[in-house]
Amino acid sequence: MSFEQWSVYNHALIPNIAPNIVPNLSDLDNPEIWKREHPLFARWVTDWDCGTETDWWYVIKDEKFDISELKSKRRYEINKGRRNFLVKRINASEFKEQIYEIQVDAYSDYPVKYRPCVIKHEFFEFIESWEQNVVFGAFSSTTEELVGYARLNQVNERFIEFLVLKSKPEFEKQGVNAAIVDGILCCLNEFLAERGILCDGSRNIKHETNFQEYLIKYFGFRKAYCFLNIKYRKPVDFVIKVLYPFRTLLQKMDSNRIIHLVNGVMTMDNIVRNQKRRK
């Protein structure tokens, strides 16, 4: 069986359809799905954009972007990015070396506990798999160097995933990230005006970042609240039950790479438990 609505990412079964659609949950009752890459748990959401504040959300843009509606300070930052960078769609395969350098430079700013190791030839192969994605590049207006990129994936006619944005840290003060997001939104304005959804992903558990808050503050993204659901494979469910009383202690050891990953799962487990208590 292919289990077409599910894929394995970071040791978890994640729906590969838009989160506003509930996947085929009967797949999780089939033992074969748990044998494919041996995921530790499955994660999905229900009650998408329920209108009530919950502990789980996706950050989305579902209205046309209009820079004139922003406060002057925010308009200044975006216009600075527009002056300093040219943002346009690119063929990622033609810029492999530059994208690799951007990736390495961006990861150098990550905390060690979750800093990925980028292997050049593997990353080049990964870029080749982006054929179905839309990639935007940010070029310096002075040097014409590619200094940032973003990758998007159109899940269906009404839903686009904002998969990743990476830039060289030394260009951030010049507004490269603002330029990239602005360039994307300008290209997608017709799509957004017709009630399309650009989604930056779910609540961030693993990484320490303010990017989603930045999108909300500067570009009018908002939180689409929903309910988190988790199903563990055996015996992972038992391990989580044993570790749960020690979650506060584990947080104190979060600098360890493995414990940091465990803490992410424990955080999600706690969210699910709290949801059940409130219902």
Side-chain angles (χ1 to χ4, degrees), residues 12-207:
L13 274 169
I14 305 291
N16 54 28
I17 57 177
N20 56 354
I21 301 172
V22 179
N24 183 3
L25 300 180
S26 63
D27 286 344
L28 302 179
D29 296 325
N30 189 324
E32 293 301 315
I33 199 171
W34 299 99
K35 295 178 182 178
R36 186 182 64 177
E37 299 182 56
H38 304 285
L40 302 178
F41 61 93
R43 190 188 82 186
W44 71 98
V45 300
T46 49
D47 298 306
W48 165 269
D49 204 8
C50 61
T52 302
E53 187 171 335
T54 66
D55 292 329
W56 197 257
W57 59 79
Y58 283 75
V59 171
I60 67 170
K61 179 72 174 172
D62 58 353
E63 292 182 345
K64 192 173 181 178
F65 175 60
D66 185 352
I67 190 173
S68 67
E69 295 178 353
L70 300 178
K71 294 179 180 180
S72 59
K73 181 180 178 181
R74 295 167 191 172
R75 291 200 307 270
Y76 171 80
E77 290 298 324
I78 295 171
N79 284 323
K80 179 173 67 175
R82 289 178 174 180
R83 290 193 304 271
N84 291 331
F85 303 96
L86 170 65
V87 176
K88 61 182 180 180
R89 288 185 60 173
I90 62 172
N91 182 342
S93 295
E94 296 177 1
F95 294 91
K96 287 182 182 179
E97 192 73 39
Q98 296 95 319
I99 292 174
Y100 168 76
E101 292 176 2
I102 293 168
Q103 198 82 7
V104 171
D105 285 356
Y107 281 160
S108 68
D109 264 10
Y110 279 34
V112 175
K113 63 185 176 183
Y114 60 77
R115 183 185 301 163
C117 176
V118 187
I119 300 174
K120 190 171 185 178
H121 74 274
E122 291 183 356
F123 188 71
F124 278 14
E125 291 175 2
F126 180 47
I127 291 175
E128 293 296 335
S129 71
W130 297 1
E131 290 182 0
Q132 301 303 316
N133 299 154
V134 176
V135 181
F136 288 83
F139 296 83
S140 169
S141 297
T142 54
T143 67
E144 300 184 354
E145 174 192 4
L146 181 68
V147 296
Y149 80 94
R151 183 162 61 95
L152 283 67
N153 177 53
Q154 182 142 10
V155 181
N156 58 46
E157 61 182 13
R158 291 197 65 250
F159 199 97
I160 294 177
E161 294 176 304
F162 195 152
L163 295 175
V164 66
L165 184 155
K166 290 285 183 288
S167 61
K168 293 190 173 184
E170 62 264 34
F171 291 94
E172 290 181 1
K173 290 184 178 180
Q174 297 180 33
V176 61
N177 293 336
I180 294 172
V181 177
D182 173 68
I184 290 170
L185 292 179
C186 289
C187 286
L188 294 181
N189 256 344
E190 183 177 342
F191 169 80
L192 295 170
E194 296 175 354
R195 306 302 294 174
I197 297 173
L198 174 62
C199 179
D200 184 59
S202 62
R203 174 181 173 178
N204 203 308
I205 295 294
K206 183 180 177 183
H207 294 165

Side-chain angles (χ1 to χ4, degrees), residues 149-275:
Y149 80 94
R151 183 162 61 95
L152 283 67
N153 177 53
Q154 182 142 10
V155 181
N156 58 46
E157 61 182 13
R158 291 197 65 250
F159 199 97
I160 294 177
E161 294 176 304
F162 195 152
L163 295 175
V164 66
L165 184 155
K166 290 285 183 288
S167 61
K168 293 190 173 184
E170 62 264 34
F171 291 94
E172 290 181 1
K173 290 184 178 180
Q174 297 180 33
V176 61
N177 293 336
I180 294 172
V181 177
D182 173 68
I184 290 170
L185 292 179
C186 289
C187 286
L188 294 181
N189 256 344
E190 183 177 342
F191 169 80
L192 295 170
E194 296 175 354
R195 306 302 294 174
I197 297 173
L198 174 62
C199 179
D200 184 59
S202 62
R203 174 181 173 178
N204 203 308
I205 295 294
K206 183 180 177 183
H207 294 165
E208 298 165 2
T209 174
N210 294 318
F211 186 65
Q212 292 187 337
E213 288 75 14
Y214 170 74
L215 292 177
I216 292 170
K217 183 177 179 180
Y218 280 82
F219 294 97
F221 282 66
R222 67 178 180 87
K223 291 179 180 179
Y225 291 102
C226 50
F227 290 92
L228 177 65
N229 300 267
I230 294 178
K231 181 174 182 176
Y232 297 103
R233 69 175 299 158
K234 295 182 179 180
V236 176
D237 53 349
F238 174 74
V239 174
I240 295 298
K241 288 179 182 178
V242 171
L243 290 177
Y244 187 79
F246 304 98
R247 63 191 183 282
T248 302
L249 176 62
L250 290 171
Q251 284 293 340
K252 294 178 180 179
M253 298 184 287
D254 194 62
S255 59
N256 179 278
R257 184 183 294 267
I258 300 299
I259 293 179
H260 177 70
L261 294 174
V262 173
N263 284 337
V265 179
M266 299 301 292
T267 298
M268 291 187 290
D269 189 82
N270 192 48
I271 289 171
V272 173
R273 289 171 185 254
N274 288 337
Q275 289 173 172

